[in-house]
Amino acid sequence: MKSIESSYQIVDFSTLPGTPCPCGTARRAFADVEDYPATVHVTEIADDARVHYHKHHTETYYILECGPDAKMQLNDEQVPIRPGMCILIPPGTRHRAIGQMKIINMVMPKFDPADEFFD
């Protein structure tokens, strides 16, 4: 009997290496899946997250966990957040997370570290 190659992908984020990023530590999935137009990250935000922006990436943050005083800085605004909220961050939006939190970040097109800019 001939085997059929699977058309789906499964990732266990706990097995992925953490990569330092301006927000904290990201575990990134699906960068190597040619037909998938994005990457999916589970990111643990540190207290010293840096304001940055992207010229090409659109990011979507889904808040999994955060403290009661957590906020997102989006351009010149600081927006209170809580678990279960989702934030669409288009290219050019200066942003950073304020306070410790854990998020899912969907990045389109696929994440490229060359598309991180700081003022």
Side-chain angles (χ1 to χ4, degrees), residues 88-109:
L88 179 68
I89 306 170
T93 303
R94 272 103 177 130
H95 61 282
R96 74 176 171 125
I98 300 170
Q100 292 184 347
M101 64 188 76
K102 186 174 186 178
I103 68 164
I104 296 173
N105 183 9
M106 291 153 279
V107 181
M108 291 183 73

Side-chain angles (χ1 to χ4, degrees), residues 4-102:
I4 298 173
E5 188 174 324
S6 182
S7 62
Y8 58 86
Q9 300 277 332
I10 297 174
V11 171
D12 178 352
F13 279 94
S14 70
T15 66
L16 297 178
T19 302
C21 66
C23 299
T25 303
R27 297 179 192 288
R28 300 179 177 131
F30 306 125
D32 59 345
V33 180
E34 190 175 322
D35 293 340
Y36 186 63
T39 52
V40 178
H41 310 191
V42 172
T43 304
E44 293 184 36
I45 308 291
D47 284 327
D48 60 350
R50 296 174 58 198
V51 175
H52 64 285
Y53 67 97
H54 309 281
K55 293 182 180 178
H56 303 285
H57 293 146
T58 295
E59 294 186 309
T60 305
Y61 282 24
Y62 179 80
I63 313 304
L64 294 169
E65 305 168 4
C66 67
D69 296 328
K71 297 178 180 134
M72 279 295 299
Q73 179 178 339
L74 301 162
N75 292 321
D76 295 327
E77 290 186 67
Q78 289 190 7
V79 180
I81 60 166
R82 65 182 184 283
M85 293 178 80
C86 194
I87 303 164
L88 179 68
I89 306 170
T93 303
R94 272 103 177 130
H95 61 282
R96 74 176 171 125
I98 300 170
Q100 292 184 347
M101 64 188 76
K102 186 174 186 178

